[in-house]
Amino acid sequence: MLRIENLHANVDGKAILNGISLAINPGEIHAMMGPNGSGKSTLSYVLAGRPGYEVTQGSVTLDGEDLLALDPHERAAKGMFLGFQYPVEIPGVSNVQFLRTALNAQRRARGDKELSAGEFLKLAREQADALDLSMDMMKRAVNVGFSGGEKKRNEMVQMGIIDPRLAILDETDSGLDIDALRVIGAGINRILRKPDKAVLLITHYQRLLEIVKPDFVHVLAGGRIVRSGGAELAMELEREGYGAVAA
Amino acid sequence: MTLLALPTAREEGWRWSDLSALPALAERSPTGRVPDALPWLDCAHEGPRLLFIDGRLDESRSRLGPVEIGPVSVQTGHPLGRLAGAGGWSLRLGRDHAPPGLLQIVHVSTGAADHLAGEIVLDADAQASIVETFSGEGWTNRLAGVTLGKSARLMLNRRVLGPAGFVSFTDHAELGEGASFVAATLAAGGRDTRLDGEIALVGEGAYAEAVGALLARARQRHDANFVIRHSVPSGTSRQVWRSVADDKAACSVAARVEVARHAQKTDGEQSLKGLLLARSATINAKPELEIFADDVKCAHGATVGALDRNALFYLESRGVTPDEAKALLTRAFVADALDRIGEKRVREAFYADAEGWFA
């Protein structure tokens, strides 16, 4: 599904990614772990097409198509979703309005019929209920006045509504208490643990990986994948620390 | 026409205006072509309707109700307002008069210049709500006088539509004790504007609001100048203006609050914000406070900025197209002004016009 080859990227002229290669197939969950500053968030932004993140070398394809040639909204329409580490507050734009616009833009791009207001609200209610977020909150401005945990839950509600094929989740577990972590982990499993879907889960900690069991674990350091393995690698990291494992 | 001793940009109050197109418009002949579809609002509670074509009442398509056509007595020294003359329409509602429903006025210009005055006099406790829509492509120049008695309430919402030309209006309003006047303006067409208002709070406890959203692109110019005068105690005023300029357009807002020495306990707020959609566009914001009383609360703020890149990326990463993302954020930006329109049907119509401009 996603193929990253020898990816190099700069931010503000500084090299952050230094040759990442990774293949993600349908049905797989990959965890990307690594210390602060290793390039985890940069990788997620490069994949989503954030302006200011300049690819200097390498290639990324989604189902064989050059991902880097697409604008962010086109990548989304191809089924990619970025879960933000710091979801953005947008005063004056309601969640419902935003998500209906987003979903219908994607459906238009794929040649599907747009959802009516009624159809959309039904879908939004189902997804909000599943993550314990009230419809009142869905009618409020995007992330404005939301607590850290509510913002992350809102990311998952958005993911449930949009129903992507490939999700890149950037520290979706950061800032969550144990109960919220369970809700979010269950959400990820429910939405994405399917034979035709895939996940790149970026995280610092092993906690989330106890709920969302990864098929592969990679360790990122200095903008490179320095080790790859199965779920046991995450436990090794937890035990020994990045210093020992990445060395 | 013998007019046109027009102010020039050398005069302080006119330095952001460009009146250079007006003499030519004043010499043109109207085409008289009226579009089939007129911008009437459908409302549950239909009120009077006035259709002015090039400044003349089209009686067959109007429904006067309590509105009278004839001489009005609005005094003005304003260089554009005084061109309006002594004829026009008037709405006079006596004490406790029930609202006549929404009064809709549509001004269609078919390519030349026309001038007209209007007068609104509401006695104690009377209420009225008016929507005035400017469409067409010439120069439409209006003068309005508003006199509100004790606890009278007037909502005056205006939208400037139409593809080209110029719209100017000059308001003079006087608010009695406890009266409330809310004037909201949306400029969302292709015409240039010069909008002037002087609102005087002469009775204690009056409330005045002058708000608007000005949207401009290409080489358009909008220029709004509003003064609110507090001359007695305990008055409240709000001025909320949102300007959006794209391409080489310019939006200018000068908003002034004057608080006289006796006008203690005045509560005034000004918020002027500008959004630049292109580096070549211009926003001018001039908030002014002149306060001679010592026990007042007056807040003012003016900011100019661009769309938030983080918000744009967030929206686009979810599949929203760049144009839709821009429109969503711009709509949110003008919401502070348009949300002040109390009647849902009117507010929705104004939003629809604004969204038409974004599209």
Side-chain angles (χ1 to χ4, degrees):
Chain A
M1 184 184 273
L2 184 74
R3 244 193 142 72
I4 304 173
E5 278 179 33
N6 193 30
L7 183 66
H8 288 68
N10 286 0
V11 182
D12 294 329
K14 197 172 151 210
I16 307 289
L17 302 184
N18 298 302
I20 292 183
S21 296
L22 178 66
I24 299 181
N25 297 307
E28 292 177 356
I29 293 183
H30 290 242
M32 183 71 70
M33 305 182 75
N36 292 324
S38 58
K40 301 190 299 297
S41 288
T42 298
L43 176 62
S44 72
Y45 286 143
V46 167
L47 293 176
R50 186 176 191 128
Y53 288 72
E54 187 202 354
V55 175
T56 52
Q57 211 183 317
S59 66
V60 182
T61 58
L62 181 65
D63 301 326
E65 189 179 356
D66 181 5
L67 188 74
L68 302 177
L70 302 176
D71 286 337
H73 70 285
E74 296 168 328
R75 299 181 193 198
K78 297 280 179 200
M80 199 169 114
F81 179 92
L82 171 63
F84 281 61
Q85 184 180 1
Y86 303 108
V88 180
E89 296 185 8
I90 309 182
V93 178
S94 78
N95 283 294
V96 168
Q97 185 186 23
F98 158 42
L99 287 166
R100 189 171 163 224
T101 308
L103 184 61
N104 280 336
Q106 290 199 19
R107 293 179 69 94
R108 236 179 10 248
R110 292 195 288 260
D112 294 340
K113 196 174 139 284
E114 295 187 27
L115 293 191
S116 70
E119 290 166 332
F120 174 79
L121 281 175
K122 184 169 172 279
L123 173 64
R125 183 165 289 121
E126 281 166 14
Q127 294 299 328
D129 282 351
L131 280 140
D132 225 359
L133 206 65
S134 72
M135 275 309 277
D136 279 351
M137 294 198 72
M138 293 299 291
K139 286 173 184 161
R140 276 163 48 183
V142 179
N143 292 322
V144 176
F146 285 35
S147 70
E150 285 167 343
K151 284 179 182 172
K152 293 297 176 75
R153 262 190 287 157
N154 190 17
E155 292 289 285
M156 294 301 103
V157 173
Q158 294 182 29
M159 189 168 80
I161 289 170
I162 288 172
D163 196 22
R165 290 188 307 131
L166 170 67
I168 296 151
L169 303 178
D170 186 8
E171 298 200 22
T172 295
D173 53 345
S174 67
L176 295 180
D177 61 40
I178 297 163
D179 292 347
L181 191 72
R182 282 206 193 97
V183 173
I184 294 233
I188 297 172
N189 285 331
R190 177 178 56 83
I191 300 163
L192 294 163
R193 194 40 119 171
K194 292 179 182 169
D196 57 339
K197 301 196 174 199
V199 184
L200 179 60
L201 200 58
I202 292 171
T203 181
H204 267 303
Y205 305 108
Q206 205 237 331
R207 283 186 318 182
L208 180 62
L209 303 182
E210 287 167 7
I211 305 166
V212 183
K213 301 249 183 328
D215 303 299
F216 301 93
V217 173
H218 311 278
V219 181
L220 196 66
R224 271 189 203 93
I225 293 177
V226 294
R227 261 190 79 179
S228 293
E232 72 288 346
L233 180 56
M235 284 176 273
E236 189 186 331
L237 282 169
E238 188 78 3
R239 229 173 25 242
E240 322 226 339
Y242 288 120
V245 175
Chain B
M1 213 165 217
T2 54
L3 48 99
L4 297 196
L6 294 172
T8 69
R10 281 194 293 276
E11 292 166 59
E12 172 63 20
W14 294 83
R15 67 191 170 113
W16 290 324
S17 286
D18 181 2
L19 307 181
S20 60
L22 298 187
L25 282 169
E27 281 172 16
R28 282 214 318 232
S29 302
T31 65
R33 275 196 300 272
V34 181
D36 293 333
L38 292 165
W40 301 114
L41 268 59
D42 293 323
C43 340
H45 188 30
E46 283 283 359
R49 284 184 175 189
L50 309 182
L51 173 63
F52 290 99
I53 310 289
D54 297 313
R56 298 162 73 97
L57 182 75
D58 180 332
E59 284 181 54
S60 66
R61 283 186 275 183
S62 298
R63 191 167 55 221
L64 291 183
V67 176
E68 290 171 18
I69 304 295
V72 298
S73 55
V74 185
Q75 303 300 318
T76 185
H78 189 279
L80 299 182
R82 69 183 175 218
L83 300 173
W89 58 274
S90 53
L91 173 68
R92 294 164 190 278
L93 296 179
R95 188 183 175 84
D96 278 335
H97 197 295
L102 181 67
L103 165 57
Q104 297 194 55
I105 306 173
V106 172
H107 303 279
V108 178
S109 165
T110 73
D114 66 82
H115 310 272
L116 191 74
E119 191 174 16
I120 303 157
V121 181
L122 304 185
D123 288 349
D125 297 312
Q127 289 188 25
S129 176
I130 301 174
V131 172
E132 215 172 355
T133 305
F134 298 84
S135 72
E137 53 194 327
W139 172 20
T140 308
N141 182 42
R142 297 292 177 265
L143 169 68
V146 172
T147 310
L148 302 185
K150 185 177 173 183
S151 301
R153 293 166 58 87
L154 174 64
M155 278 149 290
L156 180 55
N157 301 303
R158 291 172 170 125
R159 49 185 178 154
V160 178
L161 309 174
F166 198 95
V167 170
S168 46
F169 62 70
T170 307
D171 294 341
H172 294 283
E174 210 170 84
L175 280 54
E177 185 186 334
S180 160
F181 177 41
V182 176
T185 304
L186 168 69
R191 307 171 86 179
D192 289 359
T193 63
R194 166 77 195 201
L195 315 172
D196 285 77
E198 273 186 11
I199 303 170
L201 285 71
V202 297
E204 286 193 26
Y207 180 87
E209 203 169 285
V211 306
L214 308 175
L215 314 175
R217 62 163 59 99
R219 291 182 173 274
Q220 244 181 311
R221 278 175 187 239
H222 292 308
D223 187 0
N225 298 264
F226 280 77
V227 181
I228 295 182
R229 298 205 165 93
H230 292 263
S231 50
V232 293
S234 305
T236 302
S237 66
R238 299 287 180 262
Q239 288 167 295
V240 178
W241 289 88
R242 296 292 177 262
S243 305
V244 179
D246 202 349
D247 307 319
K248 296 189 175 205
C251 292
S252 307
V253 177
R256 187 175 165 87
V257 179
E258 296 178 5
V259 183
R261 199 153 60 86
H262 303 294
Q264 303 293 0
K265 306 282 181 200
T266 287
D267 174 356
E269 252 179 52
Q270 288 178 317
S271 164
L272 314 182
K273 290 187 183 174
L275 177 63
L276 291 165
L277 296 181
R279 296 177 77 94
S280 48
T282 302
I283 301 275
N284 297 303
K286 187 178 173 193
E288 289 183 287
L289 295 171
E290 188 183 272
I291 303 174
F292 290 103
D294 50 20
D295 182 14
V296 302
K297 194 170 87 185
C298 284
H300 68 112
T303 60
V304 178
L307 289 175
D308 179 353
R309 284 158 192 265
N310 290 330
L312 280 171
F313 175 65
Y314 189 67
L315 295 173
E316 290 172 25
S317 78
R318 298 286 185 259
V320 179
T321 65
D323 283 345
E324 284 174 324
K326 220 162 136 175
L328 274 176
L329 296 181
T330 309
R331 184 191 193 278
F333 177 78
V334 299
D336 292 341
L338 295 186
D339 282 350
R340 298 258 169 182
I341 299 171
E343 287 151 290
K344 188 169 176 236
R345 178 67 194 89
V346 178
R347 187 171 64 241
E348 285 173 353
F350 277 49
Y351 267 116
D353 292 327
E355 273 155 21
W357 186 89
F358 304 142

